[in-house]
Amino acid sequence: MAHDSDGEHADRRASGALEAEIMAVLWGSGEPMTAGAVQAALAPGLAYKTVLTVLGRLHAKGMLERERAGRAHAYLPRREAAEASAEQMKTALDRGHDRTAVLQRFLETLDPADEAALRALLGPGE
């Protein structure tokens, strides 16, 4: 049974990565896509049913809108990529016990170009 639980854990991890890949495809498209179109844009060998399941999960989480496209649904992101990423960063910051320490560690991981962009956004004297 240990093998089964390890496999289930690997599937959950892969599912999170697959969600990210599907979101990237949809953000890159700029228009609603059916499950078949998303499947075609992803790595070969991924089952249609898997794509459909992940799209349904993303819709249930409120990350996607869906509209009728013939007998199927077409999916599109509710938020643009930058907004979704910013929301994830805010959620991570909110989970930290010491917000200043979390921000400090984050700044230490930035490359110089990102640090310069952040300083420019904060304005002079910040």
Side-chain angles (χ1 to χ4, degrees):
M1 285 294 177
H3 179 67
D4 288 342
S5 68
D6 288 344
E8 289 172 15
H9 181 67
D11 289 345
R12 275 191 294 264
R13 227 179 20 228
S15 178
L18 186 53
E19 286 183 4
E21 288 178 46
I22 287 174
M23 291 302 297
V25 166
L26 290 167
W27 279 317
S29 169
E31 61 185 58
M33 295 178 72
T34 63
V38 172
Q39 178 194 22
L42 294 169
L46 190 58
Y48 174 82
K49 186 174 178 179
T50 300
V51 173
L52 192 58
T53 298
V54 174
L55 286 167
R57 189 176 307 134
L58 289 167
H59 178 260
K61 289 179 179 181
M63 296 180 69
L64 297 177
E65 293 181 22
R66 73 178 177 196
E67 56 190 41
R68 279 305 226 175
R71 293 179 37 196
H73 285 101
Y75 296 85
L76 66 156
R78 287 187 180 224
R79 296 180 236 22
E80 58 185 59
E83 184 180 353
S85 294
E87 187 175 300
Q88 289 175 335
M89 292 168 65
K90 174 82 168 82
T91 299
L93 181 61
D94 289 344
R95 277 187 268 200
H97 296 291
D98 182 347
R99 293 172 73 90
T100 301
V102 171
L103 287 168
Q104 178 63 40
R105 294 290 184 174
F106 175 70
L107 288 173
E108 291 169 0
T109 66
L110 293 178
D111 66 38
D114 289 337
E115 185 177 342
L118 183 57
R119 288 185 188 284
L121 288 170
L122 290 173
E126 297 292 326

